Amino acid sequence: MKRPLRAIAAAGLLAAGSLVAVALGGTASADTQICEQFGSTVIQNRYVVQNNRWGTTAQQCINVTSTGFEITTQNGSNPTNGAPTAYPSVFFGCHYTNCSPGTNLPIQVSQISSATSSISYKYVSGAIYNASYDIWLDPTPKKDGVNQMEIMIWLNRQGSIQPIGSPVGTTTLVGRAWEVWRGSNGSNNVISYVAPSPITSMNFSVLDFINDVKNRGAITSSWYLTSIQAGFEPWQGGAGLGVTSFSAGVNGGGSTTPPSTPPPTTTPPTGSGCAVKYTPNAWNNGFTADVTITNRGSSTINGWNLTYNLPAGQQVTNVWNATVTQSGSAVSARNVGFNGSIAPGGTANFGYQGTLSGAYSSPTSFSLNGVACSRT
């Protein structure tokens, strides 16, 4: 469910992606060689393996086994500051109307009681690639078209390539440390989790990553999980790379309706009020901003809404750790569930990516719950 084009978000920031297998192929009962550009086949009567060569006209072939696949021919070569050549992968769910046999996806996140997967990779030296596990979500139960949220788990990164967007911090999930990146490719939002060193196999809860993305305010429980995929994005070389085993299962039984969310309530800062630190990073046609709110008052702020005006030519496109709305130049940034309380002397942080037309400048004034804040 990758895209054929990935916008370069900033100088030096990589935009990765791939196109889609067009039709469901036959079933692989023995090793099956696929060299067709978007050829696919079924394994274990449960998963679909696809060649999915979209970023080059050079030949790519994969050998499909009963448990996975291996790239046997990879003649494409793309520069590392652009898109990869392909995304050969195995998936469970629906991928541009190509649905794996018997899948229960799409399924609403609120209805998922468990979602588990295991993956084993075979790596080679001398190639530039990432080993990527993709989780796709959308506000609607889509079986075709662009999904709005892509979670990428980078289990191995080789060469001078990097995820879409920019790093926003680190986290620990499934017992491992990850560097977290966030951005947009122009078609969908992307949150990437990059392993600091190669991981050859992993048995994990897919829900751990979905819940982390939900806690970042990027999706809600009413969204739908549409597919999960594991494969490679090669830029240069890659023959011998393989997914040696893959399994995935999603079980229902969660709540049948999304949990209700009470209307947000906010309390104004007291005493010395509030302060805002606004840290931008701009390039020729875009920017990111990291915003830190400090409670300089004498009581806890329960629920916050930061309002301000963006200069002309700036449009917010992708947000983390807040719910941001923009009407003209007016911006309203509200807390999400996990960061609504700010103790005296404490801080809350959020950020976003945006498009830029003309020279960059930062907002000049901020108000928190109706009270003007100082700048730091």
Side-chain angles (χ1 to χ4, degrees), residues 53 55-60 73-78 85 234-238:
R53 172 182 58 81
T56 179
T57 58
Q59 187 181 54
Q60 174 179 278
T73 304
Q74 173 48 261
N75 295 326
S77 179
N78 284 353
T85 63
W235 273 257
Q236 298 172 19

Side-chain angles (χ1 to χ4, degrees), residues 52-233:
N52 204 2
R53 172 182 58 81
W54 65 271
T56 179
T57 58
Q59 187 181 54
Q60 174 179 278
C61 297
I62 60 174
N63 183 62
V64 183
T65 69
S66 61
T67 59
F69 69 90
E70 181 176 315
I71 301 174
T72 56
T73 304
Q74 173 48 261
N75 295 326
S77 179
N78 284 353
T80 57
N81 64 347
T85 63
Y87 183 55
S89 60
V90 53
F91 71 86
F92 175 78
C94 292
H95 180 124
Y96 276 70
T97 70
N98 190 356
C99 293
S100 57
T103 184
N104 58 344
L105 304 188
I107 184 173
Q108 201 165 39
V109 170
S110 63
Q111 297 178 339
I112 300 174
S113 60
S114 65
T116 57
S117 184
S118 64
I119 179 74
S120 294
Y121 285 99
K122 174 190 174 188
Y123 298 138
V124 297
S125 59
I128 297 177
Y129 65 90
N130 73 47
S132 174
Y133 191 105
D134 274 18
I135 304 167
W136 287 91
L137 302 110
D138 194 81
T140 64
K142 276 191 173 182
K143 295 183 179 180
D144 193 9
V146 178
N147 278 200
Q148 292 189 23
M149 186 71 238
E150 177 185 11
I151 303 172
M152 293 187 73
I153 308 172
W154 288 44
L155 288 91
N156 189 1
R157 170 172 56 169
Q158 296 297 314
S160 57
I161 57 175
Q162 61 188 50
I164 289 168
S166 56
V168 296
T170 59
T171 191
T172 299
L173 293 172
V174 298
R176 298 177 181 271
W178 307 88
E179 183 181 56
V180 184
W181 290 62
R182 191 160 182 170
S184 172
N185 62 28
S187 297
N188 56 268
N189 295 325
V190 186
I191 295 180
S192 301
Y193 299 84
V194 182
S197 59
I199 298 172
T200 57
S201 64
M202 191 165 71
N203 191 338
F204 67 104
S205 170
V206 175
L207 268 183
D208 285 3
F209 290 92
I210 294 175
N211 287 333
D212 187 73
V213 168
K214 184 172 65 174
N215 290 338
R216 295 173 187 273
I219 65 167
T220 70
S221 295
S222 64
W223 283 48
Y224 290 81
L225 172 64
T226 62
S227 72
I228 47 184
Q229 310 172 324
F232 297 93
E233 291 182 326

Side-chain angles (χ1 to χ4, degrees), residues 267-291:
T267 57
T270 59
S272 301
C274 53
V276 172
K277 182 179 181 181
Y278 192 91
T279 307
N281 178 29
W283 54 95
N284 59 343
N285 59 357
F287 71 100
T288 59
D290 185 78
V291 186

